[in-house]
Amino acid sequence: MIPEIEKASKLEIKAFQEEKLRTLLAYLDKKSPYYKRLFQKHSIDISNIKTIEDLAKIPVTTKDELQKYNDDFLCVSKREIIDYVTTSGTLGDPVTFALTDNDLDRLAYNEAISFACAGVTKDDTVQLMTTIDRRFMAGLAYFLGVRKIGAGIIRVGAGIPELQWDSILKFKPTYLIAVPSFLLKLIAYAKRNNIDLDNCSVKGVICIGEPLRNQDFSLNTLASKITAEWDIKLYSTYASTEMNTAFTECEHQQGGHHHPELIIVEILDEHNNPLPNGVEGELTITTLGIEGMPLLRFKTGDMVVAHDDPCECGRNTIRLGPIVGRKKQMIKYKGTTLYPPMMNNILHDFNEIESYVIEIFHNDIGTDEILIKIATKDESTKLLQKLKDHFRAKLRVTPKIEYHTKKDIETLRFPIMSRKPINIIDRR
């Protein structure tokens, strides 16, 4: 199930996207209060924007503008809206997105071809281990995508290992959609209850919300711990509400594939200049085929590296490597630049840690500080020293680390209204 455009030559893909771009610009100029105002303010004649390179003539859109002028991005009347979703609000106030009937069809198509990347077919059954309610786009998208493929789906929702295993043993799903760290809880439950992991029905997991790989595509610590206990294939998928689009690994697991029929991708430096493939920069996207709230040159805040060498699967699209970090969560700590995923990987090395949260804040002189709160049954100075030595060896710096109760940390990780666990609390 590989769309023909994704197997086309790079020149054909570019020409296809440029035609879609011109259609989008005409739509925004007619329907979008925000972009009409932007074009007028900067004297942009959209007839002069004909190529991907011409996009550089248009100012970028940021999350701040999306939050401040949320309603002005809407391009349809209220009677055309079928579904409302909101972003998770990880970095600032949540943003509302309104989807039309066609937008929901597009969302289903996106997830169907994304799941197909990971090998899901109509002969599979997929167990959904994330919420489908609470205005959460991802859960709805997963359901719609599996339905479009024609596979079976089991909507269990988040958490509760006992219920998850009850469903696995009863309905025999072949794929799970789950947060990877939750798989460790499933493994622990299986061991306590004599469930034979390697003889259950699950052959693969589409992993959301947490990275699985290092920048060279090798498994990171968390993924290595999972696969050491459970012989299953893990597939990364990366998406956001703003993009309405996912980047999912194929069987060769060399990055998430771009779907050029759905989104234009730019990798920009801090001055909004395009960067070549292979160089880390901020993912900036232009959505194609969206009616409700299309976005033009939207800076996602995610730092990534794009790869354009050929993939053995036959797709000729670029691939996004693992997220390096969120631009706003970049930390300058004792002269070293850090992103939270680097610290997550180190903490996952320690089986003694039951739960943790990383807090980032400014000290009295305005520089960045890091406090890691951990819960463990072994509150010893020896463990603290091991952790600090490991941080020093891997990152050259040692953050402050404190013991807290698991209950207190879980309260921080799951605040009221949260739809997913929060491991990073940025108080700057």
Side-chain angles (χ1 to χ4, degrees), residues 31-97:
K31 299 275 192 176
S32 171
Y34 176 82
Y35 286 111
K36 278 197 285 188
R37 193 163 65 239
L38 181 79
F39 297 155
Q40 290 168 2
K41 178 181 177 181
H42 294 275
S43 301
I44 294 169
D45 181 353
I46 61 168
S47 65
N48 292 328
I49 312 298
K50 297 177 181 177
T51 67
I52 300 296
E53 292 77 13
D54 288 340
L55 275 172
K57 300 173 183 176
I58 301 173
V60 297
T61 298
T62 67
K63 284 182 184 273
D64 290 341
E65 288 150 349
L66 191 54
Q67 287 164 340
K68 186 175 180 181
Y69 305 109
N70 197 175
D71 291 347
D72 288 348
F73 284 84
L74 187 62
C75 294
V76 297
S77 66
K78 189 170 182 179
R79 66 188 299 271
E80 294 176 77
I81 298 169
I82 300 296
D83 191 67
Y84 291 92
V85 298
T86 50
T87 60
S88 57
T90 306
L91 299 174
D93 294 332
V95 172
T96 296
F97 276 82

Side-chain angles (χ1 to χ4, degrees), residues 340-353:
M342 300 175 182
M343 294 183 279
N344 291 335
N345 213 21
I346 290 173
L347 292 164
H348 286 141
D349 262 335
F350 290 82
N351 293 327
E352 301 95 324
I353 297 176

Side-chain angles (χ1 to χ4, degrees), residues 146-282:
V146 173
R147 181 173 180 263
K148 187 168 184 64
I149 284 178
I153 190 161
I154 310 159
R155 293 178 293 107
V156 181
I160 321 176
E162 182 178 3
L163 180 57
Q164 302 291 355
W165 273 114
D166 177 72
S167 293
I168 291 170
L169 297 174
K170 185 178 294 183
F171 302 113
K172 296 182 170 44
T174 44
Y175 283 85
L176 311 177
I177 301 174
V179 176
S181 56
F182 182 67
L183 298 177
L184 294 176
K185 295 183 178 180
L186 288 183
I187 291 167
Y189 182 91
K191 286 184 170 181
R192 288 195 306 269
N193 291 275
N194 299 314
I195 296 171
D196 187 349
L197 286 164
D198 292 330
N199 282 312
C200 77
S201 59
V202 179
K203 62 182 182 182
V205 184
I206 295 161
C207 293
I208 63 172
E210 294 172 342
L212 292 176
R213 303 190 188 283
N214 302 309
Q215 289 302 312
D216 64 357
F217 300 116
S218 62
L219 292 178
N220 65 15
T221 303
L222 173 58
S224 295
K225 288 173 77 170
I226 294 165
T227 54
E229 300 282 355
W230 198 354
D231 184 19
I232 48 176
K233 291 270 278 186
L234 303 179
Y235 297 91
S236 291
T237 186
Y238 159 68
S240 71
T241 303
E242 295 92 342
M243 294 193 300
N244 280 232
T245 312
F247 295 80
T248 304
E249 291 181 329
C250 70
E251 66 271 24
H252 300 286
Q253 300 182 314
Q254 295 292 300
H257 277 281
H258 169 221
H259 302 309
E261 62 270 52
L262 299 178
I263 198 167
I264 294 171
V265 169
E266 299 174 88
I267 310 295
L268 302 182
D269 66 15
E270 58 185 326
H271 303 296
N272 299 327
N273 298 312
L275 290 166
N277 290 324
V279 178
E280 177 189 320
E282 185 172 359

Side-chain angles (χ1 to χ4, degrees), residues 297-316:
R297 302 201 84 206
F298 175 73
K299 300 190 80 176
T300 64
D302 291 327
M303 304 300 289
V304 301
V305 176
H307 301 265
D308 65 351
D309 49 309
C311 184
E312 293 178 44
C313 72
R315 293 174 180 85
N316 210 19

Side-chain angles (χ1 to χ4, degrees), residues 313-362:
C313 72
R315 293 174 180 85
N316 210 19
T317 54
I318 63 167
R319 303 180 312 284
L320 295 186
I323 303 302
V324 178
R326 305 294 292 272
K327 187 176 181 181
K328 283 192 175 181
Q329 289 180 339
M330 186 181 76
I331 309 158
K332 286 284 190 178
Y333 185 63
K334 298 180 181 178
T336 298
T337 298
L338 302 175
Y339 287 103
M342 300 175 182
M343 294 183 279
N344 291 335
N345 213 21
I346 290 173
L347 292 164
H348 286 141
D349 262 335
F350 290 82
N351 293 327
E352 301 95 324
I353 297 176
E354 297 181 301
S355 186
Y356 70 87
V357 67
I358 300 168
E359 294 188 351
I360 311 164
F361 55 95
H362 283 149

